[in-house]
């Protein structure tokens, strides 16, 4: 029996005239749900963007065109360049001394002259934000360190990231800048790489070094990875004084993988609070509130950064 005849013989036909029944058959199965009101979402981060994976238009933006330091969020691009270079992940690399003075906060437990596999260095650079590992990945690029940084910027241009610039592979320099809108493009590209997703969202990892032999243990810098209440598919955190607390991730929200970019917020827990506000807003339209200290930081930082945006673009930004 055809679907039409089944419906015709059903109870629906008993109360619907044939014209109305035809309209019923041809009508869409369900109307699309109305997007939640962006005005109800208040975030502590200075800049933010939210978009389902694959979507052309973000669901929410906040100063998403502002270019600002992104700290270790840089390592998402580092990981993408490493994986797209085709360099062997099982190759042993020497932990070489830096060829330029390290930043003040460049402490690492990696022992110079020891060796680790490229894949292990990539994993701990992404999930544990190991700065020395990110440096070594660029240093051991087949064409050299400078070529690696150039490849990062080339990839940014190919993705249409017009407000982005990289000068190092770790994010220790505050000259590494991007915008929330640009980072949505990077997240979409990173999410398409299954290996990058798995490495960044790994909760814990141990690395075995050789010459000399020793083992180091690492944990993910995003606490949400360790929470049973969150399904995190891709993640990177970042922090510098100039960048504030940053969080970029893809997580399940309202039943679909959603990219979240949060730049420059106050306190280690503030980006996590913003992530929760976004999820509640997407799932039930809940209005949000922000703690006064975090809100004050956001407002003061936005006012300070607005002058830089004018200097760079020549146009007054929207606060």
């Amino acid at each position: 029996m055809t679907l039409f005849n089944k419906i015709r013989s059903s109870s629906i036909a008993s109360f619907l005239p044939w014209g109305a029944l035809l309209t019923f058959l041809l009508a869409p199965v369900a109307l699309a749900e109305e997007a939640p009101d962006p005005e109800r979402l208040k975030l502590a981060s200075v800049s933010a963007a939210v978009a389902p994976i694959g979507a052309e238009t973000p669901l929410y933006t906040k100063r998403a065109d502002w270019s600002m330091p992104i700290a270790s969020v840089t390592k998402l691009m580092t990981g993408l360049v490493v994986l797209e270079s085709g360099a062997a992940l099982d190759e042993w690399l020497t932990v070489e001394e830096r060829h330029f003075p390290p930043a003040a906060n460049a402490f690492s437990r990696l022992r110079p002259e020891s060796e680790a596999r490229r894949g292990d260095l990539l994993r701990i650079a992404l999930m544990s934000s190991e700065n020395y590992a990110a440096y070594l990945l660029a240093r051991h690029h087949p064409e050299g360190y400078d070529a690696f940084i150039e490849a990062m910027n080339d990839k940014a241009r190919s993705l249409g990231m017009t407000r982005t610039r990289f000068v190092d592979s770790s994010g220790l320099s505050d000259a590494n800048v991007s915008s929330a809108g640009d980072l949505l493009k990077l997240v979409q590209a990173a999410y398409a790489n299954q290996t990058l997703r798995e490495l960044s969202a790994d909760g814990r990892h141990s690395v075995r070094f050789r010459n000399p032999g020793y083992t180091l243990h690492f944990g993910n810098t995003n606490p949400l990875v360790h929470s049973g209440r969150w399904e995190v598919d891709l993640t990177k955190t970042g922090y510098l004084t100039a960048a504030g607390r940053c969080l970029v991730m893809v997580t399940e929200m309202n039943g679909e993988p959603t990219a979240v970019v949060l730049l420059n917020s106050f306190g280690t827990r503030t980006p996590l609070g913003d992530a929760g506000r976004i999820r509640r807003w997407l799932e039930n339209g809940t209005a949000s509130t922000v703690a006064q200290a975090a809100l004050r930081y956001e407002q003061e930082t936005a006012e300070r950064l607005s002058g830089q945006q004018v200097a760079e673009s020549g146009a007054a930004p929207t606060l």
Side-chain angles (χ1 to χ4, degrees):
M1 182 183 292
T2 66
L3 175 62
F4 183 83
N5 286 331
K6 286 181 179 179
I7 295 177
R8 183 177 181 177
S9 63
S10 71
S11 59
I12 296 177
S14 66
F15 63 85
L16 280 179
W18 279 112
L21 179 59
L22 184 61
T23 301
F24 170 81
L25 289 170
L26 298 178
V29 174
L31 296 176
E33 292 186 8
E34 185 176 347
D37 181 6
E39 293 299 322
R40 293 176 66 82
L41 180 58
K42 306 300 180 186
L43 300 179
S45 300
V46 172
S47 178
V50 180
I53 290 296
E56 296 183 0
T57 304
L59 294 173
Y60 176 86
T61 60
K62 176 183 180 182
R63 306 186 185 103
D65 60 342
W66 283 29
S67 184
M68 59 184 67
I70 59 172
S72 285
V73 173
T74 292
K75 296 184 180 76
L76 270 186
M77 181 61 84
T78 299
L80 197 57
V81 170
V82 169
L83 292 171
E84 293 187 350
S85 74
L89 296 184
D90 61 354
E91 180 182 357
W92 288 90
L93 307 179
T94 301
V95 181
E96 299 183 9
E97 296 281 359
R98 296 175 184 269
H99 67 289
F100 55 80
N105 54 344
F107 170 79
S108 174
R109 295 180 293 154
L110 276 59
R111 302 179 190 177
E113 306 306 323
S114 62
E115 297 177 348
R117 295 185 188 274
R118 179 180 277 110
D120 282 329
L121 293 176
L122 178 57
R123 188 184 297 267
I124 62 176
L126 289 168
M127 53 85 75
S128 194
S129 208
E130 222 299 333
N131 291 309
Y132 203 175
Y135 164 80
L136 293 168
L137 291 168
R139 181 71 182 272
H140 287 284
H141 181 62
E143 298 178 22
Y145 184 90
D146 291 342
F148 187 93
I149 305 304
E150 183 178 352
M152 293 174 70
N153 287 295
D154 286 345
K155 184 64 178 180
R157 284 188 289 270
S158 74
L159 293 175
M161 299 172 66
T162 60
R163 297 179 179 273
T164 300
R165 180 178 70 254
F166 298 106
V167 301
D168 80 81
S169 59
S170 64
L172 287 174
S173 172
D174 58 15
N176 279 15
V177 297
S178 189
S179 67
D182 274 6
L183 289 174
L184 276 183
K185 299 174 183 178
L186 175 57
V187 170
Q188 297 273 6
Y191 184 80
N193 190 302
Q194 182 65 35
T195 301
L196 184 52
R197 288 164 55 182
E198 292 174 357
L199 295 180
S200 73
D202 194 4
R204 295 176 177 83
H205 185 66
S206 298
V207 180
R208 180 176 62 85
F209 295 80
R210 70 180 190 183
N211 299 326
Y214 62 101
T215 299
L216 294 177
H217 308 286
F218 299 86
N220 202 299
T221 55
N222 181 356
L224 299 183
V225 167
H226 307 287
S227 170
R229 298 176 56 247
W230 290 82
E231 184 176 342
V232 179
D233 300 321
L234 173 81
T235 181
K236 190 69 205 76
T237 62
Y239 174 72
L240 284 176
T241 300
R245 302 288 174 175
C246 302
L247 174 62
V248 170
M249 67 177 178
V250 176
T251 183
E252 295 293 319
M253 289 189 176
N254 204 24
E256 61 182 329
T258 301
V260 175
V261 178
L262 300 167
L263 299 180
N264 204 328
S265 61
F266 172 79
T268 57
R269 309 294 294 183
T270 310
L272 309 181
D274 273 354
R277 293 179 187 97
I278 292 168
R279 186 164 73 171
R280 291 189 295 273
W281 170 74
L282 280 176
E283 293 180 349
N284 54 39
T286 302
S288 53
T289 59
V290 178
Q292 284 301 309
L295 182 61
R296 185 166 54 252
Y297 173 90
E298 182 264 348
Q299 293 172 342
E300 293 174 351
T301 304
E303 291 176 1
R304 175 174 54 81
L305 291 178
S306 65
Q308 298 177 14
Q309 306 303 313
V310 171
E312 293 180 3
S313 67
T318 301
L319 290 175

